[in-house]
Amino acid sequence: MRESKQEAGQRLLLCRFPLSRMPSTHKKVIVRKMDRDSVNGYVAPANFVHEGKLELLNTAGNVVGIDLRDIKGVYFVREFAESDTLSRKTFTSRPRTEGLWVRLKFKDNEILEGMMPNDLSQTMAEGFLINPPDLRSNTQRIFVPRTALASLTVLAVIGGTHRRRRAAEDVRQVQLFGE
């Protein structure tokens, strides 16, 4: 029996990633390149960047390695059918979710705002994983390689730890046992 291209691609992924590291699911992504081209495909959610390249299983079933320097953003989407452009690129008001409110300025001067976790252990060396302003849109998360950015600005730290202020001592209280 002859295997399809998609099955061959899955077999290649299994060879590349042992079963202990192979995810049980793949996430749908639209990869926007610096030259305005885009590629639809699937990535492993935990380890999609390998040796400076994005490993993508395209819709034809082939495993493709795309250099991070050529990528503007990896958009984790619900469906491929909808447009890969965001309906809203900035927040209309201060976000309510906990984390870092950041503004990304790309090398082509495009501006994008998003939320990042306020935890250094969750950041990747290759880039930043952000939540877009409109979570109800087709785009759920965006991975932006560091090489695609001109600057990243933290606009606000939202939430975080709340420190209790020391209550002022009540001077009206009479001390019974003076110390």
Side-chain angles (χ1 to χ4, degrees):
M1 186 167 138
R2 194 161 185 236
E3 66 181 346
S4 69
K5 285 185 177 182
Q6 189 166 9
E7 289 170 341
Q10 290 284 353
R11 190 171 42 76
L12 278 172
L13 274 178
L14 282 173
C15 293
R16 195 71 183 245
F17 297 107
L19 284 176
S20 61
R21 288 182 24 195
M22 187 70 186
S24 62
T25 181
H26 285 29
K27 301 293 183 187
K28 292 180 184 178
V29 295
I30 298 174
V31 179
R32 285 184 58 200
K33 294 177 153 183
M34 291 296 225
D35 60 0
R36 304 273 187 217
D37 189 24
S38 65
V39 180
N40 295 350
Y42 302 88
V43 296
N47 47 5
F48 53 90
V49 177
H50 185 69
E51 296 177 1
K53 293 188 177 210
L54 173 79
E55 293 197 345
L56 177 83
L57 178 65
N58 65 12
T59 53
N62 300 320
V63 178
V64 179
I66 304 172
D67 198 349
L68 287 179
R69 289 175 290 178
D70 300 333
I71 296 174
K72 184 173 182 179
V74 180
Y75 292 73
F76 289 81
V77 295
R78 298 180 207 282
E79 298 297 328
F80 292 132
E82 293 188 31
S83 173
D84 62 332
T85 58
L86 291 172
S87 59
R88 217 172 62 216
K89 295 185 180 197
T90 59
F91 288 99
T92 54
S93 62
R94 183 181 172 95
R96 294 186 184 140
T97 57
E98 188 173 301
L100 297 176
W101 177 13
V102 294
R103 177 175 289 145
L104 307 171
K105 183 177 181 185
F106 291 92
K107 289 183 177 174
D108 64 355
N109 290 327
E110 181 183 348
I111 302 289
L112 175 68
E113 289 183 6
M115 293 296 296
M116 289 178 50
N118 189 12
D119 185 0
L120 289 176
S121 67
Q122 293 183 10
T123 59
M124 299 172 62
E126 296 89 357
F128 304 100
L129 198 58
I130 66 166
N131 294 330
D134 188 7
L135 292 176
R136 292 174 299 216
S137 70
N138 188 40
T139 303
Q140 296 173 315
R141 296 188 100 182
I142 306 168
F143 172 75
V144 181
R146 291 178 191 264
T147 55
L149 294 176
S151 67
L152 181 139
T153 307
V154 177
L155 300 175
V157 178
I158 300 173
T161 59
H162 296 288
R163 295 183 184 165
R164 286 189 162 191
R165 294 183 182 171
R166 286 183 59 183
E169 289 186 32
D170 193 356
V171 292
R172 298 175 294 162
Q173 178 67 42
V174 178
Q175 290 198 351
L176 296 176
F177 307 101
E179 292 178 7

